[in-house]
Amino acid sequence: MTSFAVVAEGLRKRYGDADALDGFDLTVPEGTVYGLLGPNGAGKTTAVRILTTLLRPDEGRAVVAGFDVVTQPDRVRHAIGLAGQQPTVDEILTGRENLEMWGRLRHLGAAAARRRAGELLERFGLAEAAGKRVRHYSGGMRRRLDLAAAFVLAPRVLFLDEPTTGLDPRNRNEVWQTVRGLAEAGSTVLMTTQYLFEADRLAHRIAVVDAGRVIAEDTPERLKSAVGGDHVDLVLRHAADLAEAARVLAGAAGAEPVADHDTRRLTVPVRDRIGALTRIMRELQERGVEVEDVTLRRPTLDEVFLSITGANSTNGTNGVTAVTGEGTAA
Amino acid sequence: MTALPLTPALPRTRRERLRWTLADGWTIARSNLVHWTRNPAAVLNALLYPIVMVLLFGYVFGSAMNVAGGGDYREFLMPGMYAQSMTMGVMTTMIIIATGSARGVTDRFRSMPISQAAVVLGRSFADMVNSVLELAVLLACGLVVGWGWHRGAGAALAAVGLLLLLRFALIWVGIYVGLALTPESASAAWMPLLPITMLADTFVSPALMPGWMRVIAEWNPLSATVAACRELFGNPGWGGDSWAAQHALWLAIGWPALITLVFLPLSARRYRRLNR
């Protein structure tokens, strides 16, 4: 048995004049939660559609669970589960009926499908709503039911395309917990997301995707430290204090802060989160610099892109402009 | 990797594969049929609509109509109503197929080891069950307004068979077109569809239409089914001396066969090409 759940080499897919994928390479070790991180239009969904046999690549090859996606699509389909960007659950059926239907379509037989539906409802926290029609479910419940449907056969590789898009924080937490549980049960999970903090919470490894290819691949820890770790955001009461405060920040963080005069804001990456924050606040107080607001936050996707594409200028700035304005607050 | 709890083996033999296909088709058909039982408003709507049309055409317009060869207009009308309702049924297929694609249901099916034939089989079975019910209501409605069959139960059943054959052929048109449409545009398809069902011998004799329109109406596949049904039910027809009118019975079999022959492979191809 190979130790890789997914191997993709040089995948290419064109739509008209645009390359959705342009030499996409990926290696996902078995038993991991793997995050594909990138802005809208980076090619994440196209990659997932090729890996789940829904699309045929123009070039390149991909092996999922040991089977070629082009020449052995049925074997791949047998080994995977897919939960797309929108839940495909049937609103008119109840949660239990949905899962029984998917169970029968997975050829469990009526009795086993019923039993499996019961187990999944229990495990995904839907037991109480089992008899209710899905149209009365909340967004989070639908997602969880959709995940359960993808999990009927405990797939070896589970593909989740933006599993939390459009969910409120509470529902998002529920889905995160569910995904963790699935990984603990032994599935490899490949998920796409636009949010660094989501990939950070869930994934063992992250591939950063931009313009149809993987531009960086590492653990969340190392990716974040490449950006300089977490950031301190500071808003001053008086713009006149900006220069002095910037000196304090530079001294405490060991990095040059970015200043914005109009909003009286200073931003600096910090490695020692609490230590640096405490030192900054103390020194500012000693110097009589008034602070209006302070936050300690994770780097945004924009900052990750800036740092990667900044170090690797051949990839241009497309990805950066594409992600600005996407509120990715942690 | 922990042991996975359930992994039924993929079918190896042709027989196993056929068994899977039939079982999957039934599963999909059943969930489609459950939709009907859960949505009484939609069912009532679907069944009331043809009744309203019968009343509208039978009594409002019908009072001003004369059947060319003499005879009761409502006897003339009903086979047209049956065929129109079978034709409009293609809307159901189209909307469900378009909605399935838009909502990712089609993709989920395609990401599973299910034969696409099963998906289509389930879809067409459910559509046919719906159509049989709809036709049954319409036939009952016809009996109430004074329509009847006069050439025995065998001929009447043959006519019903021809109507369902037309509906069956149109399933493939519905799938082919539905795969290319958004749900919104699929719902708007009644606009081109309605005139097509009227540009036939459904409500009036093509003999009364201007020349070019008359040719279209005579060769409309719907006209063949309607004329053949009138003949088999023993209802008054408009006669007609064109080749198409003289050979209605054969055309009522030939047209649906041709439509199926063209659109079944086309829709299968469009399904396969979804991976492009």
Side-chain angles (χ1 to χ4, degrees), chain A residues 241-304:
Chain A
D241 291 335
L242 271 171
E244 182 161 15
R247 274 195 299 280
V248 170
L249 260 62
E256 208 50 45
V258 178
D260 181 352
H261 269 270
D262 294 342
T263 55
R264 305 184 307 281
R265 183 185 298 269
L266 286 165
T267 301
V268 72
V270 290
R271 269 168 220 286
D272 173 17
R273 296 155 41 98
I274 304 301
L277 183 61
T278 317
R279 190 176 148 192
I280 289 168
M281 292 314 288
R282 197 184 55 229
E283 288 187 13
L284 287 176
Q285 206 171 15
E286 282 168 10
R287 287 160 204 240
V289 174
E290 284 181 78
V291 176
E292 205 167 77
D293 196 11
V294 61
T295 35
L296 183 61
R297 61 167 177 82
R298 290 170 200 271
T300 61
L301 185 54
D302 308 30
E303 283 157 342
V304 172

Short mmCIF file of all heavy atoms in Angstrom, two decimals, chain A residues 241-304:
data_model
loop_
_atom_site.label_atom_id
_atom_site.label_comp_id
_atom_site.label_asym_id
_atom_site.label_seq_id
_atom_site.Cartn_x
_atom_site.Cartn_y
_atom_site.Cartn_z
N ASP A 241 1.73 60.59 17.49
CA ASP A 241 2.51 59.59 18.24
C ASP A 241 3.04 58.46 17.37
O ASP A 241 3.73 57.57 17.85
CB ASP A 241 1.65 58.98 19.35
CG ASP A 241 1.34 60.00 20.45
OD1 ASP A 241 2.13 60.94 20.60
OD2 ASP A 241 0.31 59.84 21.12
N LEU A 242 2.65 58.45 16.09
CA LEU A 242 2.94 57.29 15.25
C LEU A 242 4.44 56.93 15.22
O LEU A 242 4.80 55.76 15.36
CB LEU A 242 2.45 57.55 13.81
CG LEU A 242 0.99 57.12 13.54
CD1 LEU A 242 0.53 57.63 12.18
CD2 LEU A 242 0.85 55.61 13.61
N ALA A 243 5.29 57.94 15.04
CA ALA A 243 6.72 57.66 14.90
C ALA A 243 7.28 57.03 16.16
O ALA A 243 7.99 56.03 16.11
CB ALA A 243 7.46 58.96 14.56
N GLU A 244 6.88 57.61 17.30
CA GLU A 244 7.41 57.10 18.56
C GLU A 244 6.90 55.66 18.81
O GLU A 244 7.67 54.78 19.20
CB GLU A 244 6.98 58.02 19.71
CG GLU A 244 7.57 57.54 21.02
CD GLU A 244 7.57 58.63 22.09
OE1 GLU A 244 6.86 59.63 21.88
OE2 GLU A 244 8.27 58.46 23.09
N ALA A 245 5.62 55.44 18.58
CA ALA A 245 5.04 54.11 18.78
C ALA A 245 5.70 53.09 17.86
O ALA A 245 5.94 51.95 18.24
CB ALA A 245 3.53 54.15 18.53
N ALA A 246 5.99 53.51 16.62
CA ALA A 246 6.63 52.60 15.66
C ALA A 246 7.98 52.13 16.20
O ALA A 246 8.34 50.97 16.04
CB ALA A 246 6.79 53.29 14.31
N ARG A 247 8.72 53.06 16.85
CA ARG A 247 10.02 52.67 17.43
C ARG A 247 9.83 51.63 18.53
O ARG A 247 10.57 50.66 18.62
CB ARG A 247 10.73 53.92 17.97
CG ARG A 247 11.56 54.65 16.90
CD ARG A 247 12.52 55.65 17.54
NE ARG A 247 11.86 56.69 18.31
CZ ARG A 247 11.28 57.78 17.78
NH1 ARG A 247 11.30 57.95 16.47
NH2 ARG A 247 10.71 58.67 18.53
N VAL A 248 8.78 51.82 19.34
CA VAL A 248 8.51 50.86 20.41
C VAL A 248 8.20 49.49 19.83
O VAL A 248 8.73 48.46 20.26
CB VAL A 248 7.32 51.36 21.28
CG1 VAL A 248 6.88 50.25 22.23
CG2 VAL A 248 7.73 52.61 22.04
N LEU A 249 7.34 49.47 18.83
CA LEU A 249 6.94 48.20 18.20
C LEU A 249 8.14 47.49 17.59
O LEU A 249 8.31 46.28 17.74
CB LEU A 249 5.88 48.45 17.12
CG LEU A 249 4.43 48.17 17.54
CD1 LEU A 249 4.01 49.10 18.68
CD2 LEU A 249 3.49 48.34 16.36
N ALA A 250 8.97 48.27 16.90
CA ALA A 250 10.13 47.68 16.24
C ALA A 250 11.06 47.05 17.28
O ALA A 250 11.57 45.95 17.09
CB ALA A 250 10.87 48.74 15.43
N GLY A 251 11.20 47.75 18.41
CA GLY A 251 12.07 47.23 19.45
C GLY A 251 11.53 45.95 20.07
O GLY A 251 12.27 45.00 20.30
N ALA A 252 10.21 45.90 20.27
CA ALA A 252 9.61 44.75 20.95
C ALA A 252 9.48 43.55 20.03
O ALA A 252 9.63 42.41 20.45
CB ALA A 252 8.24 45.13 21.52
N ALA A 253 9.18 43.80 18.76
CA ALA A 253 8.89 42.70 17.84
C ALA A 253 10.11 42.28 17.04
O ALA A 253 10.14 41.19 16.48
CB ALA A 253 7.75 43.10 16.90
N GLY A 254 11.09 43.16 16.93
CA GLY A 254 12.25 42.84 16.11
C GLY A 254 11.93 42.87 14.63
O GLY A 254 12.58 42.20 13.84
N ALA A 255 10.86 43.57 14.27
CA ALA A 255 10.53 43.72 12.86
C ALA A 255 9.97 45.11 12.63
O ALA A 255 9.47 45.74 13.57
CB ALA A 255 9.49 42.68 12.44
N GLU A 256 10.08 45.58 11.40
CA GLU A 256 9.63 46.94 11.10
C GLU A 256 8.11 46.97 10.96
O GLU A 256 7.54 46.23 10.17
CB GLU A 256 10.28 47.39 9.78
CG GLU A 256 10.49 48.89 9.65
CD GLU A 256 11.19 49.51 10.86
OE1 GLU A 256 12.20 48.95 11.36
OE2 GLU A 256 10.71 50.56 11.32
N PRO A 257 7.40 47.79 11.74
CA PRO A 257 5.94 47.83 11.62
C PRO A 257 5.48 48.58 10.37
O PRO A 257 6.21 49.40 9.83
CB PRO A 257 5.49 48.59 12.88
CG PRO A 257 6.68 49.38 13.29
CD PRO A 257 7.90 48.67 12.80
N VAL A 258 4.27 48.25 9.92
CA VAL A 258 3.64 48.95 8.80
C VAL A 258 2.71 50.00 9.40
O VAL A 258 1.89 49.68 10.27
CB VAL A 258 2.82 47.98 7.92
CG1 VAL A 258 2.14 48.74 6.79
CG2 VAL A 258 3.73 46.88 7.38
N ALA A 259 2.85 51.25 8.96
CA ALA A 259 2.03 52.32 9.54
C ALA A 259 1.04 52.84 8.52
O ALA A 259 1.31 52.89 7.33
CB ALA A 259 2.93 53.45 10.01
N ASP A 260 -0.15 53.20 8.99
CA ASP A 260 -1.15 53.83 8.13
C ASP A 260 -1.60 55.12 8.81
O ASP A 260 -2.26 55.08 9.85
CB ASP A 260 -2.32 52.86 7.90
CG ASP A 260 -3.37 53.48 6.99
OD1 ASP A 260 -3.26 54.69 6.68
OD2 ASP A 260 -4.29 52.75 6.58
N HIS A 261 -1.22 56.26 8.24
CA HIS A 261 -1.48 57.55 8.88
C HIS A 261 -2.97 57.84 9.01
O HIS A 261 -3.41 58.35 10.03
CB HIS A 261 -0.79 58.68 8.10
CG HIS A 261 0.59 58.94 8.61
ND1 HIS A 261 0.83 59.87 9.60
CD2 HIS A 261 1.78 58.38 8.30
CE1 HIS A 261 2.12 59.87 9.88
NE2 HIS A 261 2.72 58.97 9.10
N ASP A 262 -3.72 57.57 7.98
CA ASP A 262 -5.14 57.94 7.98
C ASP A 262 -5.91 57.27 9.10
O ASP A 262 -6.75 57.88 9.74
CB ASP A 262 -5.77 57.58 6.63
CG ASP A 262 -5.17 58.41 5.51
OD1 ASP A 262 -4.56 59.45 5.85
OD2 ASP A 262 -5.28 58.01 4.33
N THR A 263 -5.61 55.99 9.32
CA THR A 263 -6.35 55.27 10.36
C THR A 263 -5.58 55.23 11.68
O THR A 263 -6.05 54.64 12.65
CB THR A 263 -6.66 53.83 9.92
OG1 THR A 263 -5.42 53.20 9.58
CG2 THR A 263 -7.58 53.80 8.71
N ARG A 264 -4.40 55.86 11.70
CA ARG A 264 -3.52 55.87 12.88
C ARG A 264 -3.23 54.44 13.35
O ARG A 264 -3.26 54.13 14.52
CB ARG A 264 -4.14 56.69 14.03
CG ARG A 264 -4.52 58.12 13.64
CD ARG A 264 -5.02 58.90 14.80
NE ARG A 264 -6.11 58.26 15.53
CZ ARG A 264 -7.37 58.28 15.12
NH1 ARG A 264 -7.71 58.88 14.00
NH2 ARG A 264 -8.31 57.68 15.83
N ARG A 265 -3.01 53.56 12.36
CA ARG A 265 -2.85 52.14 12.68
C ARG A 265 -1.42 51.68 12.44
O ARG A 265 -0.79 52.07 11.47
CB ARG A 265 -3.81 51.31 11.82
CG ARG A 265 -3.77 49.81 12.11
CD ARG A 265 -4.65 49.07 11.13
NE ARG A 265 -6.04 49.48 11.24
CZ ARG A 265 -6.93 48.88 12.03
NH1 ARG A 265 -6.57 47.85 12.77
NH2 ARG A 265 -8.15 49.30 12.09
N LEU A 266 -0.93 50.82 13.35
CA LEU A 266 0.38 50.20 13.20
C LEU A 266 0.22 48.69 13.25
O LEU A 266 -0.53 48.17 14.08
CB LEU A 266 1.31 50.63 14.34
CG LEU A 266 1.84 52.07 14.29
CD1 LEU A 266 2.41 52.45 15.66
CD2 LEU A 266 2.90 52.20 13.22
N THR A 267 0.91 47.98 12.36
CA THR A 267 0.83 46.52 12.35
C THR A 267 2.24 45.95 12.33
O THR A 267 3.07 46.40 11.54
CB THR A 267 0.08 46.04 11.10
OG1 THR A 267 -1.22 46.60 11.12
CG2 THR A 267 -0.04 44.52 11.09
N VAL A 268 2.45 44.95 13.19
CA VAL A 268 3.77 44.32 13.20
C VAL A 268 3.62 42.83 13.52
O VAL A 268 2.78 42.46 14.34
CB VAL A 268 4.71 45.02 14.22
CG1 VAL A 268 4.30 44.70 15.66
CG2 VAL A 268 6.16 44.67 13.98
N PRO A 269 4.38 41.97 12.83
CA PRO A 269 4.34 40.54 13.18
C PRO A 269 5.13 40.29 14.46
O PRO A 269 6.19 40.92 14.66
CB PRO A 269 5.01 39.86 11.98
CG PRO A 269 5.82 40.92 11.32
CD PRO A 269 5.21 42.24 11.65
N VAL A 270 4.59 39.40 15.30
CA VAL A 270 5.29 39.09 16.55
C VAL A 270 5.45 37.58 16.69
O VAL A 270 4.57 36.83 16.32
CB VAL A 270 4.52 39.62 17.78
CG1 VAL A 270 4.58 41.14 17.82
CG2 VAL A 270 3.09 39.13 17.80
N ARG A 271 6.58 37.17 17.23
CA ARG A 271 6.79 35.75 17.44
C ARG A 271 6.32 35.34 18.83
O ARG A 271 5.52 34.43 18.98
CB ARG A 271 8.26 35.40 17.26
CG ARG A 271 8.57 35.01 15.84
CD ARG A 271 10.06 34.96 15.58
NE ARG A 271 10.33 35.51 14.27
CZ ARG A 271 10.05 34.89 13.14
NH1 ARG A 271 9.50 33.69 13.15
NH2 ARG A 271 10.31 35.45 11.99
N ASP A 272 6.78 36.06 19.81
CA ASP A 272 6.38 35.78 21.19
C ASP A 272 5.13 36.61 21.47
O ASP A 272 5.22 37.76 21.87
CB ASP A 272 7.55 36.17 22.12
CG ASP A 272 7.15 36.07 23.58
OD1 ASP A 272 6.13 35.40 23.86
OD2 ASP A 272 7.85 36.65 24.42
N ARG A 273 3.96 35.99 21.25
CA ARG A 273 2.71 36.74 21.19
C ARG A 273 2.47 37.59 22.44
O ARG A 273 2.46 38.82 22.38
CB ARG A 273 1.52 35.78 21.03
CG ARG A 273 1.53 35.02 19.75
CD ARG A 273 0.75 33.71 19.86
NE ARG A 273 -0.48 33.81 20.61
CZ ARG A 273 -1.67 33.95 20.08
NH1 ARG A 273 -1.80 34.02 18.77
NH2 ARG A 273 -2.75 34.01 20.82
N ILE A 274 2.28 36.91 23.56
CA ILE A 274 1.88 37.63 24.77
C ILE A 274 3.02 38.48 25.30
O ILE A 274 2.84 39.62 25.73
CB ILE A 274 1.40 36.64 25.86
CG1 ILE A 274 0.27 35.76 25.30
CG2 ILE A 274 0.94 37.38 27.11
CD1 ILE A 274 -0.93 36.57 24.83
N GLY A 275 4.24 37.92 25.26
CA GLY A 275 5.41 38.64 25.74
C GLY A 275 5.57 39.97 25.02
O GLY A 275 5.72 41.03 25.64
N ALA A 276 5.49 39.92 23.69
CA ALA A 276 5.67 41.12 22.90
C ALA A 276 4.55 42.11 23.16
O ALA A 276 4.79 43.32 23.32
CB ALA A 276 5.73 40.76 21.41
N LEU A 277 3.33 41.60 23.24
CA LEU A 277 2.18 42.48 23.45
C LEU A 277 2.30 43.21 24.79
O LEU A 277 2.09 44.42 24.89
CB LEU A 277 0.88 41.66 23.39
CG LEU A 277 -0.41 42.45 23.52
CD1 LEU A 277 -0.52 43.44 22.36
CD2 LEU A 277 -1.61 41.51 23.51
N THR A 278 2.69 42.45 25.83
CA THR A 278 2.82 43.04 27.16
C THR A 278 3.88 44.14 27.15
O THR A 278 3.67 45.24 27.68
CB THR A 278 3.23 41.95 28.19
OG1 THR A 278 2.47 40.80 27.94
CG2 THR A 278 3.02 42.42 29.61
N ARG A 279 5.01 43.83 26.51
CA ARG A 279 6.11 44.79 26.48
C ARG A 279 5.69 46.06 25.73
O ARG A 279 5.94 47.17 26.19
CB ARG A 279 7.32 44.13 25.79
CG ARG A 279 8.56 44.97 25.95
CD ARG A 279 9.76 44.29 25.35
NE ARG A 279 10.66 45.31 24.84
CZ ARG A 279 11.68 45.07 24.06
NH1 ARG A 279 11.94 43.83 23.69
NH2 ARG A 279 12.46 46.06 23.66
N ILE A 280 5.01 45.85 24.61
CA ILE A 280 4.57 47.00 23.81
C ILE A 280 3.64 47.90 24.63
O ILE A 280 3.82 49.12 24.71
CB ILE A 280 3.84 46.53 22.53
CG1 ILE A 280 4.85 45.92 21.56
CG2 ILE A 280 3.10 47.69 21.86
CD1 ILE A 280 4.22 45.17 20.41
N MET A 281 2.67 47.31 25.28
CA MET A 281 1.69 48.09 26.02
C MET A 281 2.35 48.84 27.18
O MET A 281 2.05 50.00 27.45
CB MET A 281 0.56 47.19 26.55
CG MET A 281 -0.34 46.61 25.46
SD MET A 281 -0.85 47.82 24.23
CE MET A 281 -2.02 48.77 25.18
N ARG A 282 3.30 48.14 27.86
CA ARG A 282 3.96 48.78 29.00
C ARG A 282 4.77 49.98 28.55
O ARG A 282 4.66 51.08 29.09
CB ARG A 282 4.85 47.75 29.72
CG ARG A 282 5.25 48.17 31.13
CD ARG A 282 6.20 47.16 31.75
NE ARG A 282 7.38 46.94 30.92
CZ ARG A 282 7.83 45.74 30.59
NH1 ARG A 282 7.20 44.64 31.00
NH2 ARG A 282 8.92 45.61 29.85
N GLU A 283 5.55 49.80 27.51
CA GLU A 283 6.44 50.88 27.05
C GLU A 283 5.65 52.06 26.52
O GLU A 283 6.02 53.22 26.72
CB GLU A 283 7.40 50.36 25.98
CG GLU A 283 8.46 49.46 26.60
CD GLU A 283 9.53 49.04 25.60
OE1 GLU A 283 9.59 49.65 24.51
OE2 GLU A 283 10.30 48.11 25.92
N LEU A 284 4.52 51.76 25.83
CA LEU A 284 3.71 52.85 25.30
C LEU A 284 3.12 53.66 26.46
O LEU A 284 3.06 54.89 26.42
CB LEU A 284 2.59 52.32 24.40
CG LEU A 284 3.03 51.81 23.03
CD1 LEU A 284 1.85 51.21 22.28
CD2 LEU A 284 3.68 52.92 22.20
N GLN A 285 2.71 52.95 27.50
CA GLN A 285 2.13 53.64 28.66
C GLN A 285 3.17 54.53 29.33
O GLN A 285 2.88 55.68 29.66
CB GLN A 285 1.62 52.59 29.65
CG GLN A 285 0.51 53.11 30.52
CD GLN A 285 -0.10 51.98 31.34
OE1 GLN A 285 0.47 50.89 31.46
NE2 GLN A 285 -1.27 52.23 31.91
N GLU A 286 4.39 53.98 29.46
CA GLU A 286 5.48 54.75 30.09
C GLU A 286 5.74 56.04 29.32
O GLU A 286 6.05 57.06 29.89
CB GLU A 286 6.76 53.92 30.12
CG GLU A 286 6.77 52.87 31.23
CD GLU A 286 7.91 51.88 31.06
OE1 GLU A 286 8.80 52.11 30.19
OE2 GLU A 286 7.91 50.87 31.79
N ARG A 287 5.61 55.99 28.00
CA ARG A 287 5.90 57.17 27.19
C ARG A 287 4.67 58.05 27.00
O ARG A 287 4.71 59.02 26.26
CB ARG A 287 6.39 56.74 25.80
CG ARG A 287 7.80 56.19 25.86
CD ARG A 287 8.10 55.35 24.64
NE ARG A 287 9.16 54.40 24.96
CZ ARG A 287 10.33 54.37 24.33
NH1 ARG A 287 10.55 55.20 23.34
NH2 ARG A 287 11.24 53.51 24.68
N GLY A 288 3.59 57.66 27.61
CA GLY A 288 2.38 58.48 27.54
C GLY A 288 1.71 58.47 26.17
O GLY A 288 1.02 59.41 25.80
N VAL A 289 1.91 57.38 25.38
CA VAL A 289 1.23 57.26 24.08
C VAL A 289 -0.14 56.62 24.32
O VAL A 289 -0.23 55.54 24.88
CB VAL A 289 2.06 56.40 23.11
CG1 VAL A 289 1.29 56.14 21.83
CG2 VAL A 289 3.40 57.05 22.83
N GLU A 290 -1.17 57.36 23.91
CA GLU A 290 -2.51 56.83 24.16
C GLU A 290 -2.93 55.86 23.06
O GLU A 290 -2.82 56.16 21.87
CB GLU A 290 -3.51 57.98 24.24
CG GLU A 290 -3.44 58.73 25.55
CD GLU A 290 -4.47 59.84 25.59
OE1 GLU A 290 -5.66 59.54 25.82
OE2 GLU A 290 -4.08 61.00 25.35
N VAL A 291 -3.43 54.68 23.48
CA VAL A 291 -3.84 53.63 22.54
C VAL A 291 -5.36 53.52 22.52
O VAL A 291 -6.00 53.46 23.58
CB VAL A 291 -3.22 52.28 22.95
CG1 VAL A 291 -3.73 51.16 22.04
CG2 VAL A 291 -1.70 52.36 22.92
N GLU A 292 -5.92 53.57 21.33
CA GLU A 292 -7.38 53.50 21.23
C GLU A 292 -7.86 52.05 21.15
O GLU A 292 -8.88 51.67 21.68
CB GLU A 292 -7.83 54.26 19.98
CG GLU A 292 -9.25 54.77 20.08
CD GLU A 292 -9.50 55.76 18.96
OE1 GLU A 292 -9.72 55.32 17.82
OE2 GLU A 292 -9.47 56.96 19.24
N ASP A 293 -7.07 51.22 20.43
CA ASP A 293 -7.50 49.83 20.23
C ASP A 293 -6.28 48.96 19.99
O ASP A 293 -5.30 49.42 19.40
CB ASP A 293 -8.44 49.75 19.02
CG ASP A 293 -9.21 48.44 18.99
OD1 ASP A 293 -9.16 47.71 20.01
OD2 ASP A 293 -9.83 48.14 17.96
N VAL A 294 -6.34 47.72 20.46
CA VAL A 294 -5.24 46.80 20.19
C VAL A 294 -5.80 45.39 19.96
O VAL A 294 -6.72 44.97 20.64
CB VAL A 294 -4.22 46.80 21.35
CG1 VAL A 294 -4.86 46.35 22.66
CG2 VAL A 294 -3.02 45.93 21.02
N THR A 295 -5.25 44.71 18.96
CA THR A 295 -5.66 43.32 18.71
C THR A 295 -4.44 42.48 18.40
O THR A 295 -3.48 42.95 17.79
CB THR A 295 -6.61 43.18 17.49
OG1 THR A 295 -6.24 44.13 16.51
CG2 THR A 295 -8.06 43.32 17.88
N LEU A 296 -4.52 41.23 18.84
CA LEU A 296 -3.50 40.24 18.50
C LEU A 296 -4.20 39.27 17.56
O LEU A 296 -5.19 38.66 17.92
CB LEU A 296 -3.05 39.52 19.78
CG LEU A 296 -1.94 38.50 19.63
CD1 LEU A 296 -0.67 39.12 19.10
CD2 LEU A 296 -1.66 37.84 20.98
N ARG A 297 -3.73 39.18 16.32
CA ARG A 297 -4.47 38.36 15.36
C ARG A 297 -3.52 37.53 14.51
O ARG A 297 -2.33 37.81 14.42
CB ARG A 297 -5.31 39.24 14.45
CG ARG A 297 -4.49 40.22 13.63
CD ARG A 297 -5.29 40.87 12.52
NE ARG A 297 -4.48 41.83 11.82
CZ ARG A 297 -3.61 41.52 10.86
NH1 ARG A 297 -3.44 40.25 10.51
NH2 ARG A 297 -2.88 42.45 10.27
N ARG A 298 -4.12 36.50 13.88
CA ARG A 298 -3.33 35.67 12.97
C ARG A 298 -3.16 36.40 11.65
O ARG A 298 -3.97 37.25 11.32
CB ARG A 298 -4.06 34.35 12.74
CG ARG A 298 -4.03 33.54 13.99
CD ARG A 298 -4.90 32.33 13.98
NE ARG A 298 -5.13 31.96 15.36
CZ ARG A 298 -4.33 31.14 16.03
NH1 ARG A 298 -3.30 30.58 15.43
NH2 ARG A 298 -4.57 30.85 17.28
N PRO A 299 -2.11 36.03 10.91
CA PRO A 299 -1.93 36.69 9.62
C PRO A 299 -3.10 36.35 8.69
O PRO A 299 -3.68 35.28 8.76
CB PRO A 299 -0.62 36.09 9.08
CG PRO A 299 -0.35 34.89 9.89
CD PRO A 299 -1.04 35.07 11.20
N THR A 300 -3.47 37.28 7.85
CA THR A 300 -4.55 37.02 6.90
C THR A 300 -3.98 36.34 5.66
O THR A 300 -2.77 36.31 5.44
CB THR A 300 -5.19 38.34 6.46
OG1 THR A 300 -4.20 39.12 5.81
CG2 THR A 300 -5.76 39.09 7.64
N LEU A 301 -4.89 35.83 4.86
CA LEU A 301 -4.49 35.18 3.62
C LEU A 301 -3.71 36.18 2.75
O LEU A 301 -2.73 35.83 2.10
CB LEU A 301 -5.73 34.69 2.88
CG LEU A 301 -5.51 33.88 1.62
CD1 LEU A 301 -4.60 32.70 1.89
CD2 LEU A 301 -6.83 33.40 1.07
N ASP A 302 -4.14 37.46 2.78
CA ASP A 302 -3.43 38.49 2.02
C ASP A 302 -1.96 38.53 2.41
O ASP A 302 -1.07 38.60 1.57
CB ASP A 302 -4.00 39.89 2.29
CG ASP A 302 -5.48 39.95 2.11
OD1 ASP A 302 -6.14 38.91 2.34
OD2 ASP A 302 -6.00 41.01 1.76
N GLU A 303 -1.73 38.48 3.72
CA GLU A 303 -0.36 38.59 4.20
C GLU A 303 0.46 37.37 3.83
O GLU A 303 1.65 37.47 3.50
CB GLU A 303 -0.35 38.84 5.71
CG GLU A 303 -0.70 40.29 6.03
CD GLU A 303 -1.25 40.49 7.44
OE1 GLU A 303 -1.67 39.50 8.07
OE2 GLU A 303 -1.24 41.63 7.90
N VAL A 304 -0.18 36.18 3.89
CA VAL A 304 0.52 34.97 3.47
C VAL A 304 0.92 35.09 2.01
O VAL A 304 2.05 34.83 1.62
CB VAL A 304 -0.39 33.73 3.66
CG1 VAL A 304 0.27 32.50 3.05
CG2 VAL A 304 -0.65 33.49 5.14
#
